[in-house]
Amino acid sequence: MILVTGAAGFAGSRIIQRLVEQGAQPRALVRSAEQAKARLPQEGVEVVVGDTTRPETLGAAVAGVETIIHCAFITADRKEGRGAHYYQTNVEGTHNLLVAAKKAGIKRIVELGGLGTQRSTPTSYMETRYEADQAIKESGLAWSILGPSIQFGKGAAFFNGLADLIRSVPLITPVVGSGNLRFQPIWVEDVATCVLKMAQEPENYDGKVVEVGGPEIYTYNEILDMLMLALGRHRFKLPGPKPLAALGARVMTATLPKPPITPAAIELFNFENTTALDSVSYHFGFQPMSWRDYLQKNGVE
Ligand SMILES: NC(=O)c1ccc[n+]([C@@H]2O[C@H](COP(=O)([O-])OP(=O)(O)OC[C@H]3O[C@@H](n4cnc5c(N)ncnc54)[C@H](OP(=O)(O)O)[C@@H]3O)[C@@H](O)[C@H]2O)c1
């Protein structure tokens, strides 16, 4: 039995779908039954409603499970507030899950983490990701961690946030820093394939952090150009120093229910979001999808 946490989310729902297609009868931990109904297959999956920040809800989720695929995180694109707190979910929630897992005799956990996760300033978003990784590595369970670059696919937060920014501001699009920082977009379905290999081939991945990205690397400016082309909206790109971008993100986060960019997302501009171009074929043995090809075929969705 595989338990997927964050199962109604962008990546978790794709992982569940793939497990159902395999006939694996996965269990899905979700915070909302309604959301699960809308986002998950109606059959072949066992849905358990729970919340990693409420340990008393986790017993039913972990009972009888062999491997956990842990995707329940508050990601940088989400603003904090109303059930979305980076520290409570990423650090305390992961800790609660590990305690429940050990009590239930679970042997393995696969974490869907992020590329470039590193020690950072206390209370920062990145620090919560680092602490979650450390807790998993030190848990005593067998573990593996996948660290993907930004993900694309239907409903992808990073690309939809940028598309909203392009659509909502006339004439110009503000750029974080020079716009020369590089990203290596990877398709959410390819991420699901990698995570499932990690979960189902422990002999190849136990005790490993594997960073992955798609087959092409783009600067932030190139990503904006390609999105503008796909949306049919030309804007002048206006570079701004990172502190100014951080200020803008704080203002948008304070005033908008769903800001296109958050202060936590600005932390992702502190390092190159790239790894080896052949990371997926080298570690997982298949060719990942190109974002350019995907965008040409599907547009921004
Ligand atoms: N998307 C990307 O571009 C990207 C890139 C690299 C790495 N990643 C990593 O991939 C993982 C999954 O991200 P995602 O893009 O799928 O994010 P997502 O769509 O926001 O999914 C996260 C899921 O976790 C759930 N969750 C949050 N707090 C929870 C809690 N306390 N208890 C139980 N469930 C909780 C959320 O539930 P609700 O639906 O109820 O909010 C949501 O369904 C994260 O570790 C992320 O950092 C994502």
Side-chain angles (χ1 to χ4, degrees):
M1 162 77 81
I2 292 181
L3 167 70
V4 180
T5 71
F10 173 64
S13 58
R14 302 316 306 155
I15 294 167
I16 286 283
Q17 174 69 38
R18 299 279 291 281
L19 284 165
V20 169
E21 285 165 12
Q22 290 180 1
Q25 302 274 336
R27 186 178 292 161
L29 178 70
V30 299
R31 289 199 290 187
S32 146
E34 289 75 50
Q35 211 176 356
K37 213 166 168 194
R39 304 204 62 182
L40 298 182
Q42 304 304 308
E43 285 175 14
V45 53
E46 182 191 342
V47 174
V48 174
V49 176
D51 186 323
T52 57
T53 64
R54 293 194 291 126
E56 71 279 9
T57 65
L58 298 176
V62 293
V65 166
E66 276 162 41
T67 300
I68 298 176
I69 296 178
H70 185 30
C71 308
F73 291 93
I74 302 296
T75 57
D77 53 83
R78 299 270 290 271
K79 77 180 219 175
E80 289 204 271
R82 294 257 212 97
H85 298 279
Y86 301 129
Y87 189 83
Q88 280 88 334
T89 288
N90 299 352
V91 180
E92 293 179 350
T94 298
H95 169 78
N96 294 335
L97 183 69
L98 290 168
V99 169
K102 281 195 270 188
K103 208 166 150 197
I106 294 177
K107 298 276 182 296
R108 285 193 82 235
I109 184 162
V110 175
E111 183 203 352
L112 177 51
L115 192 151
T117 300
Q118 55 195 289
R119 177 119 248 179
S120 189
T121 45
T123 77
S124 65
Y125 167 73
M126 184 56 85
E127 180 67 16
T128 69
R129 301 308 313 243
Y130 173 81
E131 287 186 31
D133 283 9
Q134 286 308 108
I136 284 169
K137 289 177 186 172
E138 291 162 10
S139 65
L141 302 185
W143 59 268
S144 46
I145 299 175
L146 187 77
S149 186
I150 49 168
Q151 295 180 48
F152 63 89
K154 194 167 183 198
F158 181 85
F159 294 98
N160 281 316
L162 291 184
D164 284 348
L165 194 64
I166 292 166
R167 286 192 196 99
S168 58
V169 184
L171 296 175
I172 58 138
T173 292
V175 174
V176 182
S178 65
N180 291 327
L181 197 79
R182 297 175 312 147
F183 295 84
Q184 196 175 342
I186 179 165
W187 191 28
V188 63
E189 294 294 345
D190 291 335
V191 167
T193 304
C194 297
V195 164
L196 290 177
K197 274 181 168 277
M198 283 183 143
Q200 294 170 337
E201 297 172 21
E203 66 282 8
N204 293 331
Y205 301 104
D206 262 4
K208 286 188 186 165
V209 178
V210 182
E211 297 195 327
V212 285
E216 293 136 9
I217 288 176
Y218 301 98
T219 64
Y220 187 63
N221 280 327
E222 287 168 338
I223 289 176
L224 287 175
D225 287 340
M226 286 168 70
L227 287 173
M228 286 178 201
L229 196 66
L231 294 168
R233 303 199 188 197
H234 180 71
R235 302 284 188 265
F236 293 100
K237 297 193 294 297
L238 188 67
K242 235 186 319 150
L244 192 65
L247 181 67
R250 274 204 293 280
V251 171
M252 285 191 272
T253 301
T255 52
L256 301 174
K258 224 173 144 230
I261 195 150
T262 64
I266 301 284
E267 290 180 42
L268 301 179
F269 287 79
N270 289 339
F271 59 97
E272 298 276 356
N273 282 254
T274 56
T275 183
L277 272 172
D278 66 349
S279 52
V280 171
S281 59
Y282 181 80
H283 292 289
F284 297 97
F286 69 94
Q287 271 306 320
M289 167 74 85
S290 137
W291 179 56
R292 184 183 298 275
D293 291 352
Y294 181 91
L295 192 64
Q296 271 168 8
K297 189 159 173 242
N298 300 287
V300 183
E301 49 173 7

